[in-house]
Amino acid sequence: MPAGAPDLHGRPSRHAITAGFLALVAWAAVVVFSEPWGREWGTGQDARCYYQAMLSDPYLHSNWTDPIAYVYSPAFLQLVTPLTALPWQLFMAAWTAILIGAVWYLCGPRFFALGLLIGAMEIAGGNIHLLETVAIVVGFRFPAAWAFVLLTKISPGVGLLWFAVRREWRSLAIALGATAAIVAVSAIFMPAAWRQWVDVLTQVAGRDGTWAAVPIPFLVRLPFAVALVVWGARTDRRWVVPVASMIALPALWYGGLSMVLGTIALRRDTLSGPGWNPFRRGTWGPARLAPAAA
């Protein structure tokens, strides 16, 4: 029986039961420690950045030295605003469930515990690296998903070189076109905010990244990320794309290391066989999206 598949009676496998228990424990811990916000061992430090941001003045706090700085595009804020209408702890309950769901999607039940360990700081902080990784994985089949990457942290979009190197121009056009369409629609409602975001990006670009947890300047890391994507594209190794995108993050924090979980999603048929896809095979689960390469 494939790992993670239900038994002959339709009951969840041991891996699925264990993963479900771990997911519940992790979710409860993050939610409980999110209140009161700001304590030394609290959770949700990163999530607070977009929870507090307002559509009326999204970049009121946009300096990197501010613990609640919001530096993503207006489009992302428009996306999460319905959730931010919830009280803080309820917001964290919903947001944490989304992030844990991303780990489940990327790792499946068999490797869920490993994914939870690697993504622990990311889930506790509430950042978006896991969601960007899901977008990258999904983006091999639905290139429009890359818009999420380009409209948040931007530089991990170096992974789009995959399509350029392989001359998959249609996929590249869809990714860029979807991004442009979102910008156009968003700018109708928040034109001034988009102009502000350009100023924010200029300020961020002026920092060398040596203040991050992994103090390697962005311009030093970027050529390695580009080379990795080019190599992967030429040798048909999709799993290198989330790794390269991680290397190309504007600042490399511990939570950003969770992007390596994308390699599991893109190679899991090789690792464990096709049966442990958390979605029905033949739809758009990772095993279907990206057959493992050598």
Side-chain angles (χ1 to χ4, degrees), residues 44-289:
Q45 296 89 342
D46 295 326
R48 193 78 179 195
C49 296
Y50 21 95
Y51 179 78
Q52 60 77 34
M54 300 176 293
L55 292 175
S56 59
D57 192 1
Y59 302 107
L60 176 63
H61 302 281
S62 59
N63 191 306
W64 275 99
T65 60
D66 193 326
I68 53 173
Y70 179 78
V71 296
Y72 301 149
S73 74
F76 177 74
L77 184 58
Q78 290 167 318
L79 176 66
V80 300
T81 290
L83 271 182
T84 63
L86 295 171
W88 166 243
Q89 206 160 20
L90 285 180
F91 167 80
M92 279 302 296
W95 191 250
T96 303
I98 292 171
L99 296 184
I100 292 176
V103 174
W104 187 286
Y105 174 78
L106 294 169
C107 299
R110 181 171 185 180
F111 290 99
F112 181 79
L114 175 63
L116 206 59
L117 178 63
I118 294 175
M121 294 193 69
E122 176 74 0
I123 296 170
N127 212 306
I128 63 169
H129 298 102
L130 286 168
L131 301 182
E132 289 200 326
T133 308
V134 170
I136 291 169
V137 172
V138 173
F140 282 105
R141 185 173 183 187
F142 301 105
W146 278 96
F148 183 83
V149 179
L150 296 176
L151 294 176
T152 49
K153 295 185 182 289
I154 305 177
S155 56
V158 68
L160 284 172
L161 285 173
W162 172 277
F163 298 128
V165 172
R166 296 169 66 88
R167 294 182 173 83
E168 297 176 6
W169 305 119
R170 182 175 180 274
S171 293
L172 181 60
I174 291 173
L176 298 178
T179 304
I182 293 171
V183 172
V185 173
S186 173
I188 293 174
F189 300 96
M190 300 178 65
W194 280 94
R195 291 191 292 270
Q196 286 180 291
W197 191 45
V198 173
D199 294 335
V200 169
L201 294 180
T202 302
Q203 297 172 8
V204 173
R207 303 180 67 88
D208 62 7
T210 55
W211 45 275
V214 182
I216 304 175
F218 171 74
L219 292 179
V220 174
R221 292 182 276 112
L222 183 61
F224 290 95
V226 170
L228 189 57
V229 176
V230 171
W231 173 73
R234 288 179 173 175
T235 57
D236 198 30
R237 290 175 167 86
R238 293 183 174 188
W239 60 269
V240 309
V241 176
V243 176
S245 295
M246 179 194 69
I247 294 172
L249 284 169
L252 197 52
W253 292 95
Y254 301 118
L257 299 176
S258 63
M259 293 183 74
V260 301
L261 297 181
T263 64
I264 297 177
L266 293 170
R267 289 185 60 86
R268 63 199 200 171
D269 279 353
T270 297
L271 291 170
S272 298
W276 65 287
N277 189 336
F279 298 94
R280 181 174 60 83
R281 190 159 178 77
T283 56
W284 55 282
R288 176 65 175 169
L289 281 173

